[in-house]
Amino acid sequence: GQQVMQIPQYQHVQEGEDFTTYCNSSTTLSNIQWYKQRPGGHPVFLIQLVKSGEVKKQKRLTFQFGEAKKNSSLHITATQTTDVGTYFCAGEGGYQKVTFGTGTKLQVIP
Amino acid sequence: DAGITQSPRHKVTETGTPVTLRCHQTENHRYMYWYRQDPGHGLRLIHYSYGVKDTDKGEVSDGYSVSRSKTEDFLLTLESATSSQTSVYFCAISEPGLAETGELFFGEGSRLTVL
């Protein structure tokens, strides 16, 4: 079945440093979604990418979808303590069957 | 926040007992999902539903069954709970667009401990 891996599993950064998490799928994805989960909370949708090579920005967050639609990345510029949490990518393996990546836990040191 | 309620929010049970978790939505979304979250594994799909009485298995469905007799309710049952099923369980709902995956809205989670 479809597998979605993320690296790194954990990342500690100083506040103000940049952060990137990478997502790789074993199969081609029709689209990819990104979610953020704050400690003790539930995942919250951030964005969806659909087109090959697509790049979208949300303030300090930049999302990319690979040309082959098998990988994606999330880059945060100048991290803040409010960015703390676990970031998940998620891909649809057909028929709205949404598979999540393993997640990257981000810690921001003030 | 989307109208999703999970119950119970916390449960401690013993090995071998049956457990049912309930997910209730007020959004009339077609798709409902059950995920479990464990350290190092992210969110793993257990079962999902694409309509009343229409369900399908996810990647970790063994030991779990589901039922959806009404649009608003999606039940997850552990027929005989085991310690390996100790986890946080999340329900999610979505309503896909014509050509895209729907955004998933998650419930607050149900923490299950099997002793």
Side-chain angles (χ1 to χ4, degrees):
Chain A
Q2 179 187 48
Q3 290 187 326
V4 182
M5 300 298 294
Q6 275 182 260
I7 56 170
Q9 190 173 0
Y10 301 96
Q11 184 83 60
H12 291 77
V13 299
Q14 287 288 140
E15 188 172 17
E17 290 183 339
D18 292 356
F19 160 77
T20 304
T21 174
Y22 300 91
C23 177
N24 293 287
S25 171
S26 58
T27 58
T28 301
L29 300 169
S30 55
N31 53 63
I32 195 152
Q33 299 177 334
W34 284 92
Y35 292 78
K36 176 184 178 181
Q37 183 178 23
R38 294 182 187 275
H42 59 275
V44 175
F45 177 83
L46 293 175
I47 207 163
Q48 178 164 254
L49 305 172
V50 179
K51 299 177 185 175
S52 169
E54 188 170 13
V55 178
K56 285 189 177 180
K57 293 190 176 184
Q58 288 180 348
K59 297 183 180 178
R60 295 178 294 103
L61 277 61
T62 302
F63 303 84
Q64 288 189 306
F65 199 11
E67 294 290 341
K69 301 185 80 172
K70 295 181 73 174
N71 55 66
S72 181
S73 65
L74 158 59
H75 180 82
I76 301 178
T77 303
T79 53
Q80 300 175 358
T81 54
T82 53
D83 295 325
V84 165
T86 302
Y87 292 85
F88 293 98
C89 62
E92 185 212 344
Y95 303 102
Q96 302 295 323
K97 190 172 184 176
V98 180
T99 300
F100 279 75
T102 45
T104 296
K105 187 173 183 179
L106 172 65
Q107 285 276 39
V108 179
I109 305 162
Chain B
D1 282 344
I4 310 168
T5 306
Q6 290 186 230
S7 60
R9 294 289 314 280
H10 300 273
K11 185 171 183 67
V12 179
T13 191
E14 293 189 348
T15 298
T17 59
V19 175
T20 296
L21 305 180
R22 180 186 183 227
C23 179
H24 178 78
Q25 62 147 328
T26 57
E27 306 296 323
N28 202 37
H29 282 6
R30 250 181 317 152
Y31 285 79
M32 298 185 76
Y33 303 79
W34 277 108
Y35 289 90
R36 61 177 288 176
Q37 185 170 33
D38 306 287
H41 292 279
L43 291 151
R44 292 182 290 176
L45 181 63
I46 306 171
H47 284 279
Y48 73 112
S49 169
Y50 45 95
V52 173
K53 293 193 168 75
D54 292 322
T55 65
D56 200 359
K57 295 179 180 180
E59 57 191 306
V60 289
S61 58
D62 287 349
Y64 301 94
S65 63
V66 289
S67 67
R68 192 168 178 199
S69 58
K70 298 184 290 185
T71 300
E72 56 266 35
D73 288 326
F74 192 32
L75 303 180
L76 176 70
T77 297
L78 292 65
E79 300 290 347
S80 178
T82 67
S83 58
S84 64
Q85 293 176 310
T86 292
S87 186
V88 178
Y89 292 86
F90 284 100
C91 172
I93 65 174
S94 78
E95 186 59 49
L98 285 177
E100 59 186 27
T101 306
E103 169 186 348
L104 266 63
F105 297 94
F106 283 82
E108 297 294 321
S110 295
R111 182 175 294 276
L112 175 67
T113 302
V114 184
L115 302 175

